[in-house]
Amino acid sequence: MSDGFAGAVRSSNENELLRAFVDMADTLVDEYDVADMLHRLAKYCVTLLGASAAGLLLADQRGGLEVVASSDEGTRMLELLQLQTEQGPCLDAYRSGESVNIEDIAAAAGQWPLFAQRAAAAGFRSVQALPLRLRRQVIGTLNLFGRQGQSPVGGSALSVARALADIATIGILQERAIRRGELLTEQLQHALNSRVVIEQAKGVLAHAGGLEMDVAFDRLRAYSRAHNARLSEVAEAVVRSALSPEQVIGGAS
């Protein structure tokens, strides 16, 4: 691995970066859970590449965007704000198909006043929005947030983020070829439906265990991994009461 890529890894551990690429590449050769894969991508951007937070938006069957993954609950709310107000760098990146890099969010208040205000309140000072794009087809955005007055991810680390996002994009788009002409929107809609169920399950666990939403999601994901089950399937079982909150909270390790 080149020195540039090694320097992109926050912990200076090349093995962790290699594992991330192998993990993302699994989507190209095996059946996979889109929702969980996108959550892993968001986490890698934080733990390996140095972003303060990350989120992903994915287009639904009507071309509208939905929040499908985030590294924490605060970032998810900031992404939702952009969708509700129809303003923000992440929407601009999706519409244009080009990356948007804002090193000083406060200076962009005239362009996106509500987004700039909320982002500042959350402690973010910079943002990068990278389109999930293959050639001319854009299916969403990967959004990186920073707490410093500079790009959240720069140099070689940004190249790594783009590469991971490209692998995720190809993995999603490949479903169309595998299904021999089935509409891509069916796969994307499945991911969005999974996102809704996951959010509902997070709420059930948070209420039952008196947990923060971020902690509730961590317990849900840990349980699915510990039991080798799909994240979306575990979430659905919680929502249908086929799996009790106590089982998930206590059996996540």
Side-chain angles (χ1 to χ4, degrees):
M1 183 175 292
S2 69
D3 292 339
F5 273 81
V9 186
R10 195 178 187 183
S11 63
S12 300
N13 188 337
E14 293 185 23
N15 290 333
E16 291 296 324
L17 181 56
L18 287 171
R19 268 196 290 270
F21 273 100
V22 170
D23 189 19
M24 289 291 103
D26 278 347
T27 66
L28 303 179
V29 297
D30 200 0
E31 184 178 358
Y32 67 100
D33 186 331
V34 174
D36 190 40
M37 178 267 287
L38 294 178
H39 276 288
R40 294 199 306 273
L41 174 57
K43 289 291 187 181
Y44 287 141
C45 289
V46 174
T47 60
L48 292 181
L49 304 182
S52 299
L56 285 116
L57 303 178
L58 200 62
D60 62 19
Q61 59 185 346
R62 297 176 301 279
L65 290 174
E66 300 268 1
V67 181
V68 292
S70 60
S71 59
D72 57 71
E73 187 67 15
T75 304
R76 188 178 79 87
M77 298 305 294
L78 188 57
E79 300 279 38
L80 286 173
L81 173 72
Q82 293 186 75
L83 299 181
Q84 292 167 355
T85 60
E86 297 186 353
Q87 63 165 248
C90 307
L91 271 71
D92 284 6
Y94 173 70
R95 291 163 178 161
S96 68
E98 301 294 334
S99 298
V100 175
N101 182 24
I102 306 298
E103 295 188 354
D104 183 3
I105 290 176
Q111 186 175 3
W112 310 301
L114 292 177
F115 169 78
Q117 180 183 8
R118 287 291 180 83
F124 296 125
R125 296 183 60 189
S126 57
V127 60
Q128 289 165 304
L130 311 178
L132 298 179
R133 182 185 65 190
L134 182 63
R135 300 183 180 89
R136 295 184 178 180
Q137 187 168 11
V138 182
I139 62 172
T141 60
L142 167 62
N143 313 306
L144 310 174
F145 297 87
R147 300 190 184 281
Q148 304 298 323
Q150 57 188 24
S151 298
V153 173
S156 298
L158 181 58
S159 297
V160 174
R162 291 184 187 278
L164 291 173
D166 286 345
I167 294 173
T169 302
I170 292 170
I172 294 172
L173 289 172
Q174 184 181 244
E175 286 296 306
R176 178 171 55 180
I178 292 175
R179 294 181 180 186
R180 296 180 182 276
E182 286 187 20
L183 293 176
L184 169 64
T185 51
E186 180 181 335
Q187 168 68 15
L188 299 183
Q189 192 62 45
H190 176 72
L192 296 172
N193 292 341
S194 295
R195 184 267 311 172
V196 172
V197 175
I198 289 169
E199 291 302 322
Q200 291 173 339
K202 282 166 54 178
V204 172
L205 296 181
H207 177 74
L211 306 174
E212 296 291 335
M213 292 292 280
D214 287 341
V215 176
F217 175 72
D218 287 341
R219 298 289 176 84
L220 184 69
R221 188 160 176 256
Y223 183 93
S224 69
R225 284 180 169 267
H227 293 78
N228 196 29
R230 284 173 173 257
L231 179 65
S232 54
E233 291 175 352
V234 173
E236 185 177 357
V238 170
V239 172
R240 291 190 293 104
S241 299
L243 186 62
S244 72
E246 291 74 20
Q247 286 177 279
V248 175
I249 294 171
S253 57

